[in-house]
Amino acid sequence: MPSILLKAPLSRLLKSYTPMSTPERLLRYVDALAEAVALEMDRDPSVFVMGLDVDDHKAIQGSTRGLLQRFGADRVFTTPLSEDAMTGVAIGAAMAGMRPIHVHIRMDFLMLGMNQLVNMAAKSHYMYGGAVKVPLVVRCMIGKSWGQGAQHSQGLHAMFMHVPGLKVVAPSNAHDAKGCLIAAIRDDNPVIFMEHRLLYGLEAYVPEQPYTVELGKARVVQTGTDLTIVGISNMLVECLRAQELLKEQGIHAEVIDPITLSPLDSETVVQSVARTGRLLVVDNGWTMCGASAEILARVAEARATRGAIVQRMGFAPTTCPTSPTLEQLFYPNPATIASAAHAMVRPDAAAWEPSPELARLAYQVQFRGPF
């Protein structure tokens, strides 16, 4: 039997947990990003958008569509291929009282501005005794499929989590994308805003008015009793599907979306693990010194979770492959997540592997690339 997710948009699944008081309309993740920026540019004239091709007709896959026409070239403009220098420009503007949004179509390109981000943006508030603020948002895409390959698909969020002074956000749905982006723009600290391209087409209920999603607060997406699963970025979607597969085996997983990786709300995870006794963290990055390692460490250090069974999953320990066939082995997926969780809950039972066909996700099947 094929998965229901092969027949229906994944938004059906997301609708079930998207937090909203008055469901009004469905909006795609990418459109929620554009709407958040437009609302803040309307509200605050100090907000502007810069980055390579933000004013192009393809508009960063649509996430900056319409901004140039609405706000003009003084507030929405492209930049040269000089990430280091342009990051410095953005930091300087932020120090001078503006609120820049620096957009990168690949997170990998942030490596070219690391000195600016780590040594300048993250530290200036501290080094100048609080006299200087750096209200900078750095938007960056991550992703897989469509042959993204070694230098265009890396999840490098753990590098930025390591640096005090930087906030790191990775929303998994359109509601949180809009609320977190507005919160990030209004924040007086530099924020690394991570967006997975496979999430861009997914819909969720999103209020039309401006609102914020608190940075530093996780959400329990699905309650359960047998183990806790934490999914980072789009892995939250894969974990939700794994949770459905596990339910068919009589295993009820609690699924948590951390939303913000730094500051990290480990207390929500600790409280969950204290009840379930098991924790599986699934990252959209490598496990070595990664976000999953940090979450497991915090749970291990908590008195309430002593003796808990813990495990992590993430990228295979090699370079991101371009081939779709190799991608299947490189990334966690609902089948591998469910199989690992099953082994944690029933260590004495025979290994269980759900059909890969049952684990396929509609949003991956539908993705055809940005152009």
Side-chain angles (χ1 to χ4, degrees), residues 51-257:
L52 185 66
D53 287 344
V54 297
D55 59 351
D56 183 77
H57 67 285
K58 296 181 179 67
I60 316 295
Q61 298 194 38
S63 64
T64 60
R65 181 172 294 128
L67 297 177
L68 173 64
Q69 295 75 16
R70 185 169 174 181
F71 298 101
D74 288 342
R75 297 181 69 190
V76 181
F77 54 88
T78 190
T79 55
L81 275 172
S82 181
E83 284 81 358
D84 187 19
M86 291 302 103
T87 303
V89 168
I91 293 170
M95 289 178 172
M98 304 296 285
R99 291 188 179 272
I101 303 170
H102 194 187
V103 183
H104 297 266
I105 202 166
R106 301 280 188 275
M107 189 175 201
D108 316 73
F109 298 163
L110 297 193
M111 298 300 96
L112 299 166
M114 283 298 276
N115 177 57
Q116 298 286 355
L117 293 170
V118 174
N119 284 327
M120 306 301 173
K123 295 176 172 60
S124 292
H125 184 74
Y126 175 83
M127 291 176 65
Y128 292 105
V132 173
K133 298 176 182 176
V134 187
L136 165 67
V137 176
V138 180
R139 281 189 49 206
C140 49
M141 260 187 273
I142 59 172
K144 56 180 289 194
S145 301
W146 199 64
Q148 296 298 312
Q151 297 178 329
H152 295 87
S153 57
Q154 301 170 95
L156 302 171
H157 42 284
M159 291 187 182
F160 298 101
M161 291 172 64
H162 186 69
V163 180
L166 294 178
K167 295 186 177 181
V168 183
V169 188
S172 68
N173 62 80
H175 176 278
D176 290 347
K178 178 177 175 179
C180 285
L181 186 51
I182 291 177
I185 294 169
R186 296 179 184 181
D187 201 294
D188 286 335
N189 300 283
V191 179
I192 307 297
F193 199 91
M194 191 171 74
E195 309 155 13
H196 197 291
R197 61 174 57 83
L198 285 184
L199 297 174
Y200 268 28
L202 297 187
E203 295 177 327
Y205 285 115
V206 179
E208 292 187 21
Q209 69 274 15
Y211 63 91
T212 59
V213 170
E214 181 183 359
L215 303 184
K217 182 63 179 174
R219 179 180 299 117
V220 177
V221 175
Q222 175 68 47
T223 59
T225 55
D226 296 318
L227 84 159
T228 301
I229 303 179
V230 175
I232 295 172
S233 184
N234 77 310
M235 282 301 156
L236 188 279
V237 179
E238 316 266 342
C239 291
L240 284 171
R241 180 60 186 134
Q243 172 266 149
E244 287 190 335
L245 296 171
L246 288 166
K247 195 183 298 181
E248 296 170 4
Q249 297 296 310
I251 295 174
H252 299 278
E254 184 148 296
V255 181
I256 295 177
D257 184 351

Side-chain angles (χ1 to χ4, degrees), residues 259-281:
I259 305 176
T260 305
L261 299 172
S262 182
L264 180 66
D265 177 14
S266 53
E267 184 56 31
T268 295
V269 181
V270 166
Q271 289 177 4
S272 174
V273 177
R275 287 187 287 101
T276 66
R278 302 174 181 86
L279 171 62
L280 174 62
V281 181

